[in-house]
Amino acid sequence: MGASDAREDAVDVLVVGAGPVGLTAAAELRRHGVDCRIIDRLPAVQPYAKAVGVQPRTLEVWESMGLVREALDAALPLLGQLTFVNGAPGPQLELGLPPHAPYGFAALPQYTTERLLGAHLAGFGTTVERGTELLELEQLDGHVRVSLATPDGPAELSARYVVGCDGAHSRVRRAAGIGFTGDAFPEQYMLGDVVVDWDLPAGYAIRAEHRDGAGGTDDVLVCVPLPGRGRYRMSMLVPPEPGTAPATGASAERDEVAHGLAGGRGPGLGDIQAVLDRLSPRPTTAADLRWSSVFRISHRLADRYRAGRVFLAGDAAHIHPPTGAQGMNTGVQDAYNLAWKLALAVRGLAADGLLDSYHAERRPVGEEVVGRTVRHARAGLDSDPDDPTTMLLREAQLLVGYRGGPLTGPDGLNGAGPAAGDRAPDCAGLRRPLAGFPTRLFELLRSPRHTLLLYAGPTAPAAALRGAASAARTAAHDLLDVYAVLAPEAAARPADLQLPCVTDPDNAFRTTYGPHDGEAFLVRPDGYLAARLPTTTPTAVATHLHRTFAGTDGADG
């Protein structure tokens, strides 16, 4: 395999593809202390605002990663969507979330997202190896041999694991023999990044459509705001007249997946202006075209997210309509879910089946997203059966969870609040003994380790809480942080517990989590609640942790 004169190196994990998903995977692997390399066949970051919407859950992920400040500085708040049908105002969507959600919806062009993630990754001493393309891979005993084409010539690489984040036309997916089932929409669309001078309110996406006499939509314009005065990424149907790229560009021909930006000439300002003249709710002039392209949309889902030592994430695993800005955000969560599991496997500390839990947890999420975005693309958001609040929480990806999954434990005491498998919500107003200011729960969960929260009320004995903490640390090979959360009426005192403590003076934790006295909440590194268990049986938490951590008999990977 590969050229006989190719040099060969070794690495724990090779990440293929340096879009937002691949950069997230690499950055998280490095944060967890894993030796990894990341390659991309493109010589430079592309100046395209392909993915724009950043969901609240992604901002939570970036907070944990240590990136959220930079993202908030660069992003534009996305307030809602204004709709127009045949020039008349239609329903207006406000993107409001309940007050317990720490972040709102944001607009951030993909080139800025990639710049921020790339700089964050560089802080760990790792940079993208650009102009480097995966040619082949072969799974051998204990590793994957990869053939590369690099700017310095052919190279071979031995990696313990390979993560394919190389998009809809993934070479990793094809080399691993993973099917990609689905179909394509017949329409072609134009994209353009332009400035307009209308007086519509800033921060709102615009959807303007024309409906024929039968009520069908035969022309559509969607404008998503970008940072910068009057700047939008606009998408519209390709007109039947000539002058734009053909439906089958080079990117679509490689493996018959008709998805993404096509080759050939994109639309010019005149093409975009013609659509604005037909559909814009206000007379306006387009200017300052940064880039444009023609694109196609498919809906496909990988048959498997794992094949041996090869994993898929992002568009390599799922593609679908851009409705609701779900794609990049789902991919970021793929990477966030996978990285900590690979880190344990690399260290020899993963329980049997831990790596299989990636497919078990994330493929159902991808399947739901593909189905929902296809339904919304065909029938509109009005087709969603959920109430508006639930719909927005789902679009925000705050309802993604893993109830019933292989790593999810029991709900122990059947309390109120989040169930095992749900996202662990934030809560404010906690107090630390030495701090003169309040603390958010998310500040305690930023570690790349598991976190055990022990709730101490009026009857929980300090000895039971200490015992649960000790047993859990041993089961987790000491890769676990422990905090006691003290109710206002807690019997146990910090000196008795000999554990890091926070107090809950305003009962914010009690209101959010609905704990029973002495209940233990085990939170995974990706911010999901793994289990709710009583501390009266100290071994209960340790027993659950053995689903994730290897004992002394061996490990996954």
Side-chain angles (χ1 to χ4, degrees):
M1 178 179 175
S4 60
D5 60 347
R7 67 184 190 276
E8 183 166 354
D9 299 309
V11 70
D12 285 331
V13 182
L14 174 67
V15 178
V16 182
V21 178
L23 290 167
T24 298
E28 278 297 276
L29 287 166
R30 295 296 293 120
R31 188 167 75 103
H32 284 273
V34 175
D35 175 34
C36 79
R37 290 171 59 180
I38 177 170
I39 64 172
D40 197 283
R41 65 180 181 84
L42 297 175
V45 174
Q46 298 298 288
Y48 305 140
K50 293 187 292 184
V52 174
V54 176
Q55 302 297 350
R57 177 57 185 160
T58 297
L59 292 173
E60 292 182 355
V61 169
W62 287 349
E63 177 181 350
S64 179
M65 291 174 62
L67 184 67
V68 76
R69 180 180 64 82
E70 294 85 347
L72 293 177
D73 287 347
L76 173 75
L78 193 56
L79 305 178
Q81 178 176 266
L82 308 178
T83 63
F84 298 86
V85 178
N86 294 349
Q92 178 171 326
L93 174 66
E94 298 290 338
L95 294 178
L97 291 171
H100 60 73
Y103 298 105
F105 296 86
L108 191 67
Q110 183 168 328
Y111 48 78
T112 302
T113 298
E114 292 181 9
R115 175 177 59 80
L116 295 177
L117 283 167
H120 179 69
L121 175 61
F124 295 103
T126 300
T127 56
V128 178
E129 300 173 37
R130 293 204 168 272
T132 299
E133 186 171 7
L134 181 142
L135 301 177
E136 301 177 65
L137 65 79
E138 180 183 7
Q139 299 206 49
L140 302 173
D141 185 20
H143 70 283
V144 183
R145 181 179 294 164
V146 179
S147 291
L148 304 174
T150 80
D152 299 322
E156 289 197 351
L157 176 69
S158 174
R160 293 177 65 181
Y161 301 98
V162 173
V163 183
C165 308
D166 49 341
H169 310 283
S170 170
R171 185 164 284 177
V172 172
R173 185 185 64 239
R174 286 181 285 138
I178 298 175
F180 202 37
T181 306
D183 205 347
F185 284 85
E187 299 87 359
Q188 292 184 79
Y189 293 86
M190 301 188 299
L191 274 181
D193 181 338
V194 299
V195 169
V196 289
D197 57 359
W198 58 33
D199 61 354
L200 294 169
Y204 283 83
I206 308 298
R207 180 184 177 89
E209 59 185 61
H210 180 269
R211 293 181 184 172
D212 58 26
T217 299
D218 56 12
D219 205 359
V220 65
L221 168 69
V222 177
C223 310
V224 180
L226 297 172
R229 183 176 179 84
R231 183 165 289 280
Y232 291 81
R233 189 206 66 188
M234 298 188 174
S235 60
M236 58 214 77
L237 289 170
V238 170
E241 60 267 24
T244 53
T248 54
S251 65
E253 292 175 349
R254 283 204 302 272
D255 56 3
E256 298 183 351
V257 176
H259 189 84
L261 304 184
R265 185 179 73 83
L269 267 177
D271 300 306
I272 295 171
Q273 186 64 53
V275 178
L276 289 170
D277 290 343
R278 293 196 309 270
L279 292 174
S280 174
R282 302 282 194 277
T284 191
T285 301
D288 193 13
L289 176 64
R290 278 182 178 167
W291 68 274
S292 65
S293 183
V294 170
F295 74 102
R296 298 287 304 276
I297 298 173
S298 289
H299 49 95
R300 292 178 181 267
L301 183 66
D303 297 342
R304 295 171 289 155
Y305 279 26
R306 179 191 185 186
R309 292 178 173 271
V310 176
F311 299 82
L312 302 178
D315 282 2
H318 45 78
I319 55 176
H320 45 79
T323 313
Q326 299 294 292
M328 181 197 75
N329 295 275
T330 300
V332 165
Q333 289 198 61
D334 290 341
Y336 194 54
N337 179 290
L338 178 60
W340 69 268
K341 298 172 182 178
L342 280 176
L344 288 179
V346 165
R347 298 178 69 169
L349 299 178
D352 291 339
L354 177 63
L355 294 183
D356 284 334
S357 73
Y358 171 65
H359 167 90
E361 291 182 341
R362 293 305 300 172
R363 191 178 185 279
V365 173
E367 185 174 27
E368 190 277 331
V369 168
V370 171
R372 172 161 45 92
T373 55
V374 168
R375 184 175 68 249
H376 287 174
R378 288 175 171 162
L381 292 177
D382 293 341
S383 65
D384 200 296
D386 291 317
D387 63 86
T389 298
T390 300
M391 184 189 74
L392 282 179
L393 288 170
R394 181 168 289 108
E395 295 290 309
Q397 301 196 340
L398 298 177
L399 299 184
V400 172
Y402 309 123
R403 291 189 187 186
L407 303 183
T408 300
D411 282 324
L413 305 176
N414 297 315
D422 290 351
R423 158 187 164 271
D426 196 13
C427 63
L430 304 178
R431 291 278 179 172
R432 303 199 70 171
L434 294 175
F437 51 85
T439 295
R440 293 168 53 225
L441 181 61
F442 273 11
E443 295 175 45
L444 308 182
L445 303 181
R446 288 177 186 166
S447 163
R449 299 143 58 99
H450 280 70
T451 302
L452 183 65
L453 305 173
L454 302 172
Y455 187 73
T459 61
L465 300 178
R466 289 198 308 269
S470 176
R473 283 173 170 153
T474 300
H477 301 268
D478 212 31
L479 297 176
L480 178 134
D481 298 321
V482 181
Y483 293 95
V485 180
L486 306 183
E489 69 278 13
R493 301 289 94 190
D496 302 325
L497 291 166
Q498 300 176 32
L499 296 170
C501 296
V502 294
T503 60
D504 185 28
D506 300 322
N507 287 315
F509 184 87
R510 176 183 289 171
T511 300
T512 302
Y513 279 79
H516 291 274
D517 198 355
E519 189 171 9
F521 296 79
L522 180 64
V523 183
R524 302 170 6 165
D526 57 359
Y528 284 87
L529 190 59
R532 298 180 60 163
L533 296 162
T535 56
T536 50
T537 307
T539 57
V541 178
T543 299
H544 178 79
L545 280 165
H546 288 312
R547 298 189 188 192
T548 296
F549 291 91
T552 58
D553 299 331
D556 190 347

